[in-house]
Amino acid sequence: MLFRGQLIAEAPIYRGNARKSMFTRDGDGTQRLVSLAGEISGTAQSLMDAFIGQSRDGKNIGLLNRLWQRLYGSPMPAQLIANVQCDLQEACYPRDHFFDLRMGIKLDEDRWAAEANANYKMETIFRHAVFDFTLSANDIALREEETVARLYYMLQELMAGRFWFGMGKSAGLGRVRLELESPLPVPVKRPVLVPNVNHLRMELTFNAENPVLVGWNWGKVDPTVPAFAAVEGRLLISSLREIPEAIRERLIMVMGGPILNPEDWKRKLAEYLPRLSVIWLQGRSSGNAEVWLLNATALAKLGKGKFPLSKKILDTVQPLCAQSFPTQAAAEAAIKEALADKANMSKRIVDALERRRQTTLQLNHEDWITLAAALGLDPALEAQLSAQIGDEVAATRLLGEACASVLVRLNQQIDQQINLLQSDPWVDGELASREQHLLIKTMLLDGRINETQWNDRRHTPEGVSASSWQTFLEEHSRVRYNHMTHAGNLRKSITNDRNFIDFIKSHRARARQELGQPYHIDFRSGGFKVQDFRSI
């Protein structure tokens, strides 16, 4: 029998096979595809978590096997579940197939201080990620009524969200919920459960009377680092999420290159933001309309012939040739108003009117409301802007004055980004460490490190720092040389290290952008709702 459904991450999921590791991705890792392991297998089977199976030494068993044993007090029938497959849906992958980074330290429970060398950095799949889930059960084993009932209630645990995949349960990671397309029918007789299997679940809600401070690696500025670190303008613009995406894309094209001076760059932003906003509004406001025009040539002909109109009358209506009218009636009313007491002469002039289709600029109301809401502008500015939408210079001047207050907020976010740039040299340390490990693995793969050197901590390979060599040997102290040099495992490990380096570089930019948002700027520096905290 085949069970199909979706496994939904109720909390972020972490999966790795060693301390400080990233995801063990599918295949050789180059495609950065992710799935939850169906069965315990491979060289890391004593460390890995999977739905079913067990390691060769029998100490590590599948999560479903463990759940079955906890519920019923006996092992799951060996042939009951033949296969489990759980692949992340394509829609749940970010563009670069990298997810989030969970970082932390382990506290000594006696001293309540950080333990040395016990920090962790784990890539986690986002909450609400969806996996395609398939479970194949043995039809022969399902002939037993007791087995069917036990399988039913085990799957109910998954469907109720009382199941965790992977490590880090104490940190709130790995809780999932199953939605089956064709669940088993409710059994007539319930199976006997282990008496102590039930548990109590409590949910607590509290309000923080004082600000809750969360520790980040970002925020500690190294005085030895230059006051301004080079940065690409596109990274700063990407973080200004108040600006609509279409305008952000235009700003990136114009000022997305390297920033030499932050103050000059902010002045350019004050110039280009209103200008590009007006250009965007103009592009969205253009359209065709039917208009009525008083043809100057046809009007001049009315002053000739057998019954010509007087020059005085023609001069009176001549200025109307420069105007366009939305309807014939509007044009006729304007002609009569111009002629005043000579309005009885208007019929011949109305006959000189010409109907044309003309490109016009009319401010798009929906686009203006979108822009005003995003930047926090006064919607009532629409009337003035609509009258000047055809004049780029005048409209830019008007919108520039309105954007003055907006730029104060945007400049604060830019300053926050630049401050964060000065406080993340720890990332460079992480990258340097991983690159050293990558070099060691490459040398092992190429045979440049022999078994004698592997067993000698004092014999540091050429091009590798002594500290990196010592750390690498400590992390792989339980791995024998012949296992370490397994070509397939080494190639995948090298790919994982390259993924780690790319991920850290990408995560650094994303984290800085997120920490630069108005709702994350520290209240002590005059950020969001600073007045609420002055009495604390």
Side-chain angles (χ1 to χ4, degrees):
M1 180 177 289
L2 197 64
F3 298 92
R4 296 183 184 275
Q6 295 179 335
L7 195 74
I8 301 167
E10 297 282 282
I13 300 176
Y14 155 71
R15 183 172 73 96
N17 58 11
R19 183 181 59 167
K20 299 183 182 180
S21 70
M22 303 289 281
F23 271 96
T24 301
R25 300 181 187 271
D26 295 348
D28 60 1
T30 54
Q31 300 299 315
R32 300 173 184 168
L33 301 178
V34 175
S35 65
L36 302 184
E39 187 170 1
I40 293 173
S41 61
T43 56
Q45 59 182 257
S46 61
L47 300 169
M48 71 184 297
D49 279 320
F51 284 100
I52 59 174
Q54 68 175 18
S55 60
R56 294 188 188 93
D57 58 12
K59 294 181 180 180
N60 185 29
I61 63 173
L63 297 172
L64 292 180
N65 304 67
R66 199 177 304 168
L67 176 60
W68 184 286
Q69 194 158 323
R70 183 174 67 84
L71 291 174
Y72 309 119
S74 61
M76 180 192 295
Q79 304 301 321
L80 175 59
I81 299 177
N83 180 57
V84 178
Q85 189 168 345
C86 194
D87 300 319
L88 185 64
Q89 290 185 356
E90 181 61 33
C92 296
Y93 282 98
R95 182 178 300 176
D96 56 6
H97 283 208
F98 288 135
F99 299 89
D100 197 11
L101 184 66
R102 176 167 287 230
M103 308 166 66
I105 58 175
K106 183 179 180 182
L107 294 177
D108 184 292
E109 295 183 2
D110 296 325
R111 300 182 298 114
W112 283 104
E115 289 187 12
N117 300 318
N119 63 318
Y120 63 84
K121 301 170 186 68
M122 307 184 302
E123 188 183 9
T124 57
I125 296 175
F126 297 121
R127 184 185 178 195
H128 302 313
V130 181
F131 296 80
D132 291 322
F133 179 85
T134 304
L135 185 148
S136 177
N138 191 308
D139 290 334
I140 298 176
L142 291 179
R143 292 175 183 174
E144 297 182 13
E145 184 178 341
E146 177 72 8
T147 301
V148 174
R150 287 184 172 188
L151 179 60
Y152 171 85
Y153 284 104
M154 184 184 73
L155 292 176
Q156 286 297 309
E157 288 293 293
L158 274 70
M159 296 173 72
R162 293 189 291 267
F163 182 82
W164 283 261
F165 188 95
M167 302 170 62
K169 301 177 184 64
S170 61
L173 298 177
R175 190 177 73 252
V176 296
R177 176 174 53 85
L178 178 63
E179 292 182 356
L180 280 180
E181 296 174 1
S182 54
L184 283 167
V186 181
V188 177
K189 184 180 178 181
R190 292 185 179 182
V192 178
L193 297 176
V194 173
N196 61 353
V197 73
N198 292 325
H199 62 277
L200 178 66
R201 180 173 180 174
M202 299 178 63
E203 293 186 4
L204 302 176
T205 302
F206 64 93
N207 295 322
E209 295 183 1
N210 289 313
V212 179
L213 303 181
V214 180
W216 290 85
N217 291 65
W218 281 277
K220 182 180 179 181
V221 177
D222 187 345
T224 62
V225 176
F228 173 67
V231 62
E232 294 286 324
R234 62 181 180 82
L235 295 176
L236 297 185
I237 295 171
S238 298
S239 71
L240 303 178
R241 298 174 191 166
E242 295 173 68
I243 303 175
E245 184 177 359
I247 299 174
R248 265 188 286 144
E249 291 176 355
R250 287 171 165 80
L251 285 170
I252 289 173
M253 287 189 289
V254 174
M255 42 189 309
I259 297 175
L260 302 178
N261 185 297
E263 296 305 318
D264 288 344
W265 191 85
K266 285 190 282 188
R267 281 192 286 271
K268 288 182 180 179
L269 179 64
E271 174 189 346
Y272 282 115
L273 175 60
R275 181 181 173 188
L276 294 177
S277 297
V278 167
I279 292 173
W280 178 70
L281 288 172
Q282 286 180 331
R284 306 274 293 182
S285 301
S286 61
N288 294 320
E290 187 178 81
V291 296
W292 291 80
L293 303 171
L294 182 58
N295 190 296
T297 304
L299 182 64
K301 289 181 180 179
L302 295 178
K304 302 175 182 180
K306 190 175 182 180
F307 303 102
L309 293 177
S310 68
K311 186 177 184 303
K312 182 179 179 180
I313 290 176
L314 295 177
D315 290 344
T316 301
V317 296
Q318 180 66 36
L320 298 179
C321 294
Q323 299 182 36
S324 59
F325 302 93
T327 63
Q328 184 179 9
E332 186 174 350
I335 292 171
K336 287 182 178 180
E337 183 180 354
L339 292 174
D341 58 343
K342 300 291 185 180
N344 60 320
M345 307 295 292
S346 63
K347 187 176 184 307
R348 292 180 62 189
I349 299 175
V350 169
D351 290 341
L353 288 171
E354 181 180 345
R355 183 169 63 180
R356 292 183 186 175
R357 295 197 66 81
Q358 189 178 68
T359 300
T360 60
L361 280 180
Q362 185 176 4
L363 182 63
N364 186 300
H365 173 73
E366 288 76 14
D367 290 330
W368 162 248
I369 293 300
T370 299
L371 179 64
L375 296 180
L377 303 176
D378 184 2
L381 192 65
E382 181 177 7
Q384 292 177 263
L385 190 61
S386 182
Q388 298 182 356
I389 192 64
D391 187 340
E392 182 182 322
V393 175
T396 299
R397 187 183 306 112
L398 176 64
L399 202 56
E401 294 172 357
C403 285
S405 60
V406 177
L407 287 165
V408 173
R409 300 197 309 271
L410 298 182
N411 287 340
Q412 187 180 29
Q413 293 183 53
I414 293 166
D415 292 338
Q416 176 81 338
Q417 290 283 302
I418 293 172
N419 288 337
L420 291 167
L421 274 169
Q422 300 172 48
S423 67
D424 66 358
W426 65 272
V427 180
D428 296 322
E430 289 290 330
L431 294 174
S433 173
R434 186 60 61 167
E435 285 168 351
Q436 286 277 291
H437 286 203
L438 182 60
L439 175 59
I440 294 171
K441 292 174 186 177
T442 303
M443 295 173 76
L444 285 166
L445 183 63
D446 296 342
R448 286 181 282 164
I449 297 177
N450 56 36
E451 187 171 1
T452 302
Q453 190 173 5
W454 175 256
N455 294 321
D456 187 357
R457 290 175 174 268
R458 297 169 298 177
H459 193 171
T460 305
E462 185 178 354
V464 179
S465 68
S467 59
S468 297
W469 177 241
Q470 295 291 331
T471 302
F472 188 87
L473 290 177
E474 288 172 5
E475 291 183 357
H476 299 83
S477 58
R478 295 193 298 170
V479 183
R480 298 176 64 181
Y481 179 79
N482 60 326
H483 292 148
M484 193 67 212
T485 53
H486 185 280
N489 290 341
L490 262 180
R491 288 192 183 96
K492 183 169 184 179
S493 183
I494 288 170
T495 300
N496 284 340
D497 281 344
R498 288 172 178 157
N499 283 339
F500 181 94
I501 292 169
D502 292 341
F503 171 78
I504 287 291
K505 290 178 179 177
S506 173
H507 183 80
R508 164 161 52 184
R510 292 206 309 267
R512 280 201 304 255
Q513 290 175 5
E514 183 61 32
L515 291 174
Q517 297 310 304
Y519 43 82
H520 282 149
I521 293 178
D522 194 333
F523 66 90
R524 291 169 297 180
S525 65
F528 184 67
K529 291 186 178 179
V530 64
Q531 67 277 8
D532 294 346
F533 302 104
R534 285 176 180 160
S535 61
I536 297 173

